């Protein structure tokens, strides 16, 4: 990826989204560009127009934290966008972002046995480990059943982004497909800013940009987001509609990997359907095990 272009397009896209009214400025007449002008952002940030123009051209290396904070405030960046701006600046300075070393060029090995035991101990929720490239690295039993449309019959490591944008089954699995697509790309955008040297992530972005017009459009919007927690809807081919809450937890022993857990409200129809799914998975596993 062209790092200067990443900085330039991110700042320009944030400026285009912010109206003068949002920034407390008079709209005026004869505005030729959407959103704020460079001069207005510079004024709000308390820097010269020439210096802000330099930043927006991608020359962000050496920018101080106070300047970045001022620009983030002027552009009304949220916490995720602000973190992304700082990540881009650290990368331009050659500093590993967030204290994280450059990641390995090859996929991590299979889940540590202790991590797999921890996943297997979660029996009433979907639990899985995902890497920054959206690879599904390990699951508990219910997770294997839940993500059976993604995992399929084997082959290469299941990838949530490829499923989202390249597999027609995703539109059935995700009732809110458009929202899931935006979330997926936003998370990948943030990861690309944190580690611009991740060649596998760059290759995945290139593949999806070539094969999916929707991905290409969303990637070009430069929106970023974190996952964290929330509510999602799914339609599973075995048990039907599911409404699940999710929590994302960073794995300190494996920098860059996260553990996600999906659970249903106790006593809800979704909780009952998760139990049915667990029973279906247990029956399937028993049928696949040779008898003594």
């Amino acid at each position: 990826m062209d790092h200067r272009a990443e900085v330039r397009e991110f700042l320009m896209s944030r400026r285009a989204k912010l109206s003068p009214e949002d920034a407390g400025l008079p709209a005026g007449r004869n505005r030729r560009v959407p959103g704020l002008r460079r001069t207005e952002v510079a004024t709000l940030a308390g820097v010269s127009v020439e210096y802000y123009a330099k930043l927006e051209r991608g020359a962000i290396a050496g920018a101080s934290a106070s300047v970045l904070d001022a620009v983030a405030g002027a552009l009304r960046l949220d916490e995720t966008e602000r973190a992304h701006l700082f990540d881009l600046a650290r990368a331009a300075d050659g500093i590993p972002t967030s204290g994280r070393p450059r990641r390995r060029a090859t996929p991590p090995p299979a889940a540590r046995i202790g991590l797999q035991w921890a996943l297997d101990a979660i029996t009433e929720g979907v639990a899985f480990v995902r890497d920054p490239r959206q690879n599904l690295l390990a699951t508990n039993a219910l997770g294997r059943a839940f993500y059976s449309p993604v995992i399929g019959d084997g082959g290469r490591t299941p990838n949530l982004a490829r499923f989202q944008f390249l597999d027609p089954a995703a539109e059935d699995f995700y009732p809110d497909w458009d929202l899931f697509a935006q979330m997926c790309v936003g998370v990948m955008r943030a990861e690309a800013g944190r580690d611009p040297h991740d060649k596998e992530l760059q290759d995945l972005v290139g593949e999806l940009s070539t094969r999916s017009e929707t991905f290409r459009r969303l990637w070009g919007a430069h929106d970023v987001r974190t996952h964290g927690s929330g509510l999602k809807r799914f339609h599973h081919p075995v048990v039907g509609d599911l409404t699940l809450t999710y929590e994302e937890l960073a794995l300190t022993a494996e920098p860059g990997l996260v553990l996600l857990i999906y659970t249903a409200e106790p006593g809800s129809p979704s909780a009952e359907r998760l139990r049915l799914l667990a029973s279906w998975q247990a029956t399937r596993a028993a049928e696949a095990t040779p008898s003594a």
Side-chain angles (χ1 to χ4, degrees):
M1 298 180 190
D2 184 337
H3 188 73
R4 290 175 70 96
E6 289 291 308
V7 175
R8 179 178 68 249
E9 291 167 12
F10 177 68
L11 289 176
M12 289 178 66
S13 68
R14 299 312 93 180
R15 177 163 62 84
K17 284 192 168 188
L18 189 63
S19 70
E21 293 83 357
D22 292 335
L25 299 172
R29 297 181 179 180
N30 302 321
R31 302 187 71 87
R32 298 180 181 179
V33 295
L36 296 182
R37 299 184 176 103
R38 285 194 187 95
T39 54
E40 292 168 330
V41 177
T43 299
L44 291 169
V47 299
S48 70
V49 177
E50 293 76 11
Y51 186 73
Y52 179 73
K54 175 185 173 183
L55 293 179
E56 201 170 272
R57 287 195 298 270
I60 200 171
S64 68
S66 60
V67 166
L68 295 175
D69 266 327
V71 170
L75 293 173
R76 302 292 195 271
L77 302 187
D78 62 25
E79 285 298 317
T80 302
E81 292 170 327
R82 179 185 178 279
H84 185 62
L85 177 63
F86 273 75
D87 284 340
L88 292 173
R90 291 190 188 98
D93 289 336
I95 301 171
T97 57
S98 305
R100 289 158 65 172
R102 293 185 182 185
R103 296 196 185 100
R104 292 165 289 190
T106 56
R112 290 177 290 103
I113 187 62
L115 178 56
Q116 187 62 58
W117 288 344
L119 288 171
D120 292 340
I122 301 171
T123 57
E124 296 188 4
V126 173
F128 61 98
V129 174
R130 174 180 60 72
D131 72 7
R133 308 167 197 101
Q134 300 294 308
N135 289 318
L136 196 63
L137 300 181
T139 68
N140 66 350
L142 187 52
R144 288 189 289 278
F146 178 77
Y147 274 123
S148 56
V150 182
I151 296 171
D153 297 323
R156 64 179 174 180
T157 302
N159 184 275
L160 295 171
R162 286 193 183 95
F163 177 73
Q164 173 77 49
F165 291 100
L166 304 181
D167 193 327
E171 295 193 23
D172 292 327
F173 190 63
Y174 302 130
D176 303 311
W177 188 92
D178 291 339
L179 176 61
F180 274 61
Q182 294 170 21
M183 293 174 66
C184 180
V185 174
V187 170
M188 290 175 67
R189 259 284 176 204
E191 288 293 347
R194 273 191 282 273
D195 191 350
H197 306 290
D198 189 334
K199 185 179 183 302
E200 288 185 43
L201 179 56
Q202 294 178 26
D203 290 345
L204 177 61
V205 169
E207 175 191 348
L208 295 177
S209 296
T210 300
R211 300 178 63 186
S212 169
E213 189 279 330
T214 301
F215 180 89
R216 186 164 60 250
R217 173 176 55 79
L218 292 173
W219 188 259
H222 286 264
D223 292 331
V224 293
R225 65 164 292 144
T226 51
H227 211 210
S229 63
L231 188 74
K232 290 183 178 180
R233 296 193 307 138
F234 302 89
H235 180 81
H236 196 276
V238 174
V239 297
D241 293 336
L242 294 163
T243 300
L244 306 175
T245 61
Y246 65 90
E247 296 287 340
E248 179 179 286
L249 309 171
L251 297 178
T252 56
E254 301 283 355
L257 303 190
V258 294
L259 166 65
L260 286 105
I261 303 175
Y262 287 99
T263 54
E265 179 183 355
S268 67
S270 292
E272 177 58 29
R273 288 169 188 151
L274 278 184
R275 283 192 287 272
L276 289 173
L277 189 59
S279 176
W280 174 77
Q281 172 64 16
T283 300
R284 193 170 66 153
E287 291 173 347
T289 302
S291 63

